[in-house]
Amino acid sequence: MSTFDSALTQLRKAAKVVDLDISLLDQLSLPERTITLAIPFKKDSGETEIVKGYRVQYNNLLGPYKGGLRFHPKVDMDEVCALGFWMMIKNAIVNVPFGGGKGGLEIDPHQLSESELERLTRQFARKLAPNIGAEVDVPAPDVNTNSKIMDWIEDEYGKAVRGKGKGGSIKEEEIKAVVTGKSILNGGSIGREEATGLGGFFVLEKLIKKLREEKTLPAGRPLTVAIQGFGNVGSNFASILHKNGYKVVAISDVKGGIFDSSGEGFNIDLVKVCRLEKGVLAGCYCIGSVCDLARKYKEGDISNEQLLGLEVDILIPAAMENVITKENAKKIKAKIVFEMANGPTTAEADEILNKRGIMVIPDVLANSGGVTVSYFEWYQNMHKEKWDLQKVNQKLKEKMESAFGKIWEIHLEKKVNIRTAAYILALKRLSKKASY
Ligand code: NAD
């Protein structure tokens, strides 16, 4: 089953429970617009290479299309459609006025020099410029993209549109708000970088409280955690959990992982220092990968596959989609799978985990803190405001806790799992905006 088919399976399950209007189900099962781009760029060697680029404007019932840009060799239209679809659901869940979108480049950016990466990104931005805008489609960072890349896009978009707005010049605040996840000096929101992890933490704390009240989890004992992925999402989430008394006993990146079998857990601050010292990728762009971390703690300590089967309380996939499959779902020993990556569990694996009584907290809830603060950034740009960290984090907490509370109620009332409950909440909000 393709990633997009897997995503639609989740939709159909929830649609059945709420008896969703068939026209709306059909509408939500298709992207509104898909864009494929051929992007020529000059390599340092002087040769020209053509890279495939994508943008899917999935649905804008709730507001401008919104979603990240991923630079990865496996990016393709199917993956981008699935990711755009999940953005639509996620934005409805946290109740921000955005629709769903996603895009990316089919490239391994680690093979590029920083100047090649900049030329390619700027070329991509020039090609995207006619299709994006603060009120139209607002990209953001995702796998292998960061605030520097967003700054280049914003700059290039500004050059393309300045002085060309309908009925006069486009406003500077609209240029600023064309992407989120920018650097703070360039209009980014304070708190955006940690937002996905922090948002997940607010949800996790509420969940643990409920499970302890129900006596599904023992009280008083610190919980053990294994995290796959140590980029923006995984590393920030690991730090927050470590600071709050969780034992992060295993972490990994694309090259493999480390496992503390004593159960004491890693000091994530030290792990981060090591990652910075040992980083092998080019320049500051590299920040966001464990790089050589595994080598420092004895290479090959643990593989990504082994990490998934560890006996921990909470397993946190925070890297890529489709890592929990029908083959390895039977081997998962965690009590909770907390999806910080988008789409880490295939539809078949999801069935197996449900049958085995493993609680899955779905991506569309768990990682929605990122887009929530992206919305705050967009809002600050559009209204020429600058919020402090306390205000950003307080508002993020309110949004995440409110979404969790509503989903938990649906879960109990309709006797459905948390993923289906989350989709039901999203469908309720999307249905209100649909008109034919
Ligand atoms: P990132 O590029 O910063 O980090 C990705 C991490 O995953 C790296 O540590 C990389 O080494 C690791 N990785 C890549 N392939 C892997 C593999 N096959 N096995 C194990 N590890 C692998 O990306 P990110 O922004 O942290 O995004 C991670 C996930 O979270 C993605 O699914 C993304 O869509 C999702 N997400 C990100 C945000 C955000 O704000 N950045 C928000 C919501 C969801």
Side-chain angles (χ1 to χ4, degrees):
M1 193 187 291
S2 78
T3 306
F4 186 41
D5 283 340
S6 192
L8 294 183
T9 304
Q10 299 166 349
L11 170 70
R12 283 191 288 264
K13 269 189 196 158
K16 212 168 159 186
V17 178
V18 293
D19 204 8
L20 190 74
D21 180 85
I22 188 73
S23 315
L24 183 58
L25 177 61
D26 287 346
Q27 185 183 353
L28 302 182
S29 302
L30 271 181
E32 282 171 5
R33 184 188 296 158
T34 59
I35 301 165
T36 309
L37 299 163
I39 300 148
F41 84 104
K42 270 235 167 348
K43 301 203 67 175
D44 292 343
S45 63
E47 281 166 59
T48 300
E49 193 175 311
I50 310 293
V51 175
K52 256 193 197 165
Y54 301 93
R55 185 72 189 167
V56 165
Q57 297 182 330
Y58 197 90
N59 182 285
N60 65 357
L61 275 176
L62 299 182
Y65 306 104
K66 179 91 189 84
L69 293 173
R70 175 177 291 198
F71 290 2
H72 194 278
K74 290 204 176 127
V75 165
D76 62 18
M77 193 50 95
D78 180 82
E79 180 187 73
V80 176
C81 279
L83 291 164
F85 164 83
W86 283 317
M87 287 307 300
M88 167 189 76
I89 299 291
K90 202 181 296 187
N91 290 331
I93 285 174
V94 281
N95 209 9
V96 293
F98 285 139
K102 204 83 182 190
L105 291 178
E106 186 195 299
I107 184 94
D108 180 359
H110 304 128
Q111 306 300 325
L112 302 180
S113 69
E114 182 147 336
S115 50
E116 286 174 330
L117 184 67
E118 179 170 356
R119 281 197 295 279
L120 173 60
T121 304
R122 286 185 179 277
Q123 187 73 291
F124 186 28
R126 282 193 287 276
K127 296 262 183 190
L128 275 181
N131 296 297
I132 58 176
E135 302 279 9
V136 182
D137 182 358
V138 185
D142 192 69
V143 173
N144 290 333
T145 54
N146 57 16
S147 58
K148 183 180 267 188
I149 290 175
M150 295 307 115
D151 287 353
W152 291 333
I153 295 174
E154 182 266 335
D155 183 47
E156 214 50 52
Y157 174 76
K159 286 183 206 162
V161 301
R162 218 168 250 117
K164 294 181 192 154
K166 277 185 212 141
S169 192
I170 187 167
K171 291 186 190 135
E172 281 306 311
E173 48 271 32
E174 287 178 72
I175 293 177
K176 226 9 114 197
V178 69
V179 285
T180 57
K182 299 177 292 291
S183 64
I184 310 260
L185 285 176
N186 188 36
S189 178
I190 198 158
R192 171 62 185 88
E193 189 131 350
E194 307 78 26
T196 310
L198 187 60
F201 175 70
F202 292 139
V203 170
L204 183 62
E205 286 279 277
K206 282 275 163 200
L207 172 74
I208 300 298
K209 193 162 176 269
K210 293 275 184 212
L211 296 181
R212 283 192 164 140
E213 280 165 12
E214 282 182 352
K215 306 218 182 314
T216 317
L217 273 182
R221 172 175 71 76
L223 299 171
T224 55
V225 178
I227 306 182
Q228 182 184 66
F230 203 64
N232 172 297
V233 175
S235 71
N236 280 305
F237 201 30
S239 288
I240 296 165
L241 292 176
H242 171 65
K243 283 189 192 115
N244 285 278
Y246 291 76
K247 305 282 184 193
V248 182
V249 296
I251 37 183
S252 68
D253 76 354
V254 67
K255 293 182 179 175
I258 51 177
F259 172 46
D260 174 15
S261 54
S262 77
E264 260 318 291
F266 291 106
N267 178 334
I268 301 298
D269 295 336
L270 293 183
V271 171
K272 282 187 169 173
V273 170
C274 161
R275 178 196 68 182
L276 284 179
E277 275 173 9
K278 292 277 181 176
V280 289
L281 306 178
C284 38
Y285 171 67
C286 167
I287 295 172
S289 167
V290 185
C291 300
D292 263 359
L293 181 65
R295 227 159 285 162
K296 179 161 177 171
Y297 287 92
K298 280 198 258 151
E299 188 159 19
D301 252 358
I302 192 171
S303 69
N304 268 294
E305 200 56 34
Q306 285 169 318
L307 180 141
L308 296 176
L310 288 176
E311 193 143 356
V312 287
D313 294 305
I314 310 164
L315 172 64
I316 304 176
M320 302 299 287
E321 56 269 14
N322 300 330
V323 291
I324 303 182
T325 60
K326 63 177 188 296
E327 285 77 29
N328 63 20
K330 297 166 203 133
K331 297 183 201 147
I332 284 175
K333 299 190 192 77
K335 299 175 188 74
I336 300 166
V337 172
F338 199 84
E339 297 184 339
M340 291 301 283
N342 283 309
T345 312
T346 66
E348 296 100 329
D350 206 29
E351 286 280 323
I352 298 171
L353 296 180
N354 279 319
K355 281 195 186 126
R356 293 187 55 218
I358 295 172
M359 175 160 267
V360 180
I361 301 302
D363 45 9
V364 286
L365 169 65
N367 71 31
S368 56
V371 75
T372 302
V373 176
S374 269
Y375 166 61
F376 298 160
E377 177 175 331
W378 179 89
Y379 184 95
Q380 289 172 76
N381 292 158
M382 293 294 269
H383 295 87
K384 295 186 176 165
E385 290 181 16
K386 273 265 170 225
W387 299 356
D388 63 21
L389 186 61
Q390 200 192 352
K391 178 165 175 179
V392 169
N393 287 350
Q394 184 52 38
K395 283 183 162 289
L396 173 63
K397 189 167 192 274
E398 285 162 15
K399 281 266 184 216
M400 301 306 295
E401 291 184 349
S402 157
F404 174 81
K406 290 196 165 64
I407 289 168
W408 192 261
E409 269 173 32
I410 298 172
H411 154 69
L412 295 180
E413 187 197 310
K414 304 240 180 239
K415 298 190 175 38
V416 292
N417 65 32
I418 304 292
R419 190 184 315 274
T420 301
Y423 275 69
I424 291 174
L425 175 63
L427 290 177
K428 236 189 220 173
R429 289 181 174 149
L430 285 158
S431 308
K432 277 193 196 144
K433 290 282 178 174
S435 63
Y436 301 100

